[in-house]
């Protein structure tokens, strides 16, 4: 059995990557999602353990000290980290796993695991991105502004990824991501066991 593939998915806040990811997981239920441990407050509609484990700064810092995180980052004053063990277990069991992490986290994982396949979800334009961020209604104007500024910096680093998927039409973006996953499985390195 070949090892699973580690996929990194990034994209600025407002790129629609969460929706793309959600639809992809419904389409490809065999793909696992890595659940990050984070210290930001839970947003309306979010559930513990669905996409994130919501933990305290103290808990996060003790995981960090114990070497339990594959990578971590501070984003707008909060910690975000990828627990190492579920990733290693999924890959060893031949399952593909997706890390939905920011550009800094992606850089760290690429350095640690060069075989990882990285995908950047790109908004069709900055105007669309701003509209999506302010239309969300879950954050104040200052946070929207900060997220937009972060987004511009993230987009500037998209060229470091293996693939870019423009999320203009949602289903097309989901299909593009699914095709990347299927295509990667067909690579000769993954098929040698045959
Ligand atoms: P949000 O607060 O909007 O859910 O996420 C903010 C940013 O943190 C997003 O770019 C998201 O991809 C990123 N993120 C989520 N989990 C992790 C993680 O475990 N590690 C890193 N480095 N970034 C993460």
């Amino acid at each position: 059995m070949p090892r699973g593939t580690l996929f990194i998915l990034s994209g600025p806040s407002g790129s629609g990557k969460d929706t793309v990811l959600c639809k992809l997981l419904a389409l490809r239920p065999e793909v696992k999602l890595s659940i990050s441990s984070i210290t930001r407050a839970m947003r309306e509609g979010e559930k513990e353990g669905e996409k994130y484990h919501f933990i305290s700064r103290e808990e996060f810092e003790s995981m960090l000290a114990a070497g339990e995180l594959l990578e971590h980052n501070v984003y707008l004053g909060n910690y975000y980290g990828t627990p190492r063990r579920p990733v290693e277990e999924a890959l060893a069991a031949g399952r593909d796993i997706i890390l939905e992490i920011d550009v800094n986290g992606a850089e760290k994982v690429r350095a640690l695991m060069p075989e990882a396949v990285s995908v950047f979800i790109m908004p069709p334009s900055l105007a669309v991105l701003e509209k999506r961020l302010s239309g969300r209604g879950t954050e104040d104007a200052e946070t929207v502004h900060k997220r937009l500024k972060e987004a511009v910096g993230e987009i500037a680093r998209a060229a470091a990824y293996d693939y870019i998927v423009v999320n203009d039409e949602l289903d097309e973006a989901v299909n593009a991501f699914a095709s990347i996953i299927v295509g990667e499985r067909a690579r000769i390195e993954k098929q040698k066991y045959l």
Side-chain angles (χ1 to χ4, degrees):
M1 179 180 63
R3 263 171 81 77
T5 303
L6 180 63
F7 289 94
I8 299 170
L9 182 71
S10 306
S13 175
S15 61
K17 73 175 179 302
D18 288 343
T19 319
V20 171
L21 182 59
C22 187
K23 287 203 131 195
L24 182 279
L25 294 171
L27 193 69
R28 294 256 155 217
E30 76 281 12
V31 178
K32 202 173 144 71
L33 174 68
S34 155
I35 309 293
S36 298
S37 289
I38 71 168
T39 64
R40 84 153 155 70
M42 205 185 272
R43 285 195 204 118
E44 219 183 292
E46 286 182 324
K47 285 198 194 103
E48 163 56 34
E50 203 170 67
K51 185 181 159 203
Y52 292 137
H53 291 302
F54 295 89
I55 63 172
S56 67
R57 291 187 82 87
E58 292 70 34
E59 286 172 300
F60 193 98
E61 280 162 5
S62 80
M63 284 180 83
L64 196 57
E68 290 171 18
L69 298 173
L70 181 64
E71 63 75 42
H72 77 284
N73 189 41
V74 178
Y75 178 84
L76 302 182
N78 291 303
Y79 282 125
Y80 291 74
T82 305
R84 183 191 302 274
R85 189 157 355 120
V87 173
E88 286 173 354
E89 285 175 355
L91 296 177
R95 281 191 79 177
D96 293 344
I97 183 163
I98 302 176
L99 311 187
E100 201 254 78
I101 57 179
D102 80 306
V103 286
N104 294 317
E107 198 174 297
K108 288 178 211 156
V109 175
R110 261 190 232 107
L112 284 171
M113 302 165 108
E115 70 282 12
V117 175
S118 56
V119 180
F120 191 91
I121 305 285
M122 186 74 90
S125 68
L126 279 183
V128 170
L129 184 68
E130 186 170 10
K131 210 166 140 210
R132 284 183 190 164
L133 281 177
S134 32
R136 218 187 228 178
T138 50
E139 270 132 345
D140 56 38
E142 198 197 336
T143 308
V144 169
H145 181 74
K146 276 193 203 154
R147 283 183 179 270
L148 197 60
K149 218 173 131 197
E150 284 286 326
V152 174
E154 288 180 31
I155 289 168
R157 293 165 66 185
Y161 284 69
D162 296 309
Y163 295 95
I164 288 181
V165 170
V166 178
N167 182 21
D168 192 0
E169 209 282 301
L170 180 60
D171 286 338
E172 262 178 47
V174 175
N175 285 335
F177 188 22
S179 306
I180 292 166
I181 293 175
V182 174
E184 287 295 328
R185 284 182 193 153
R187 274 189 184 278
I188 194 68
E189 306 91 82
K190 299 274 169 189
Q191 300 299 333
K192 286 199 172 136
Y193 75 106
L194 286 175

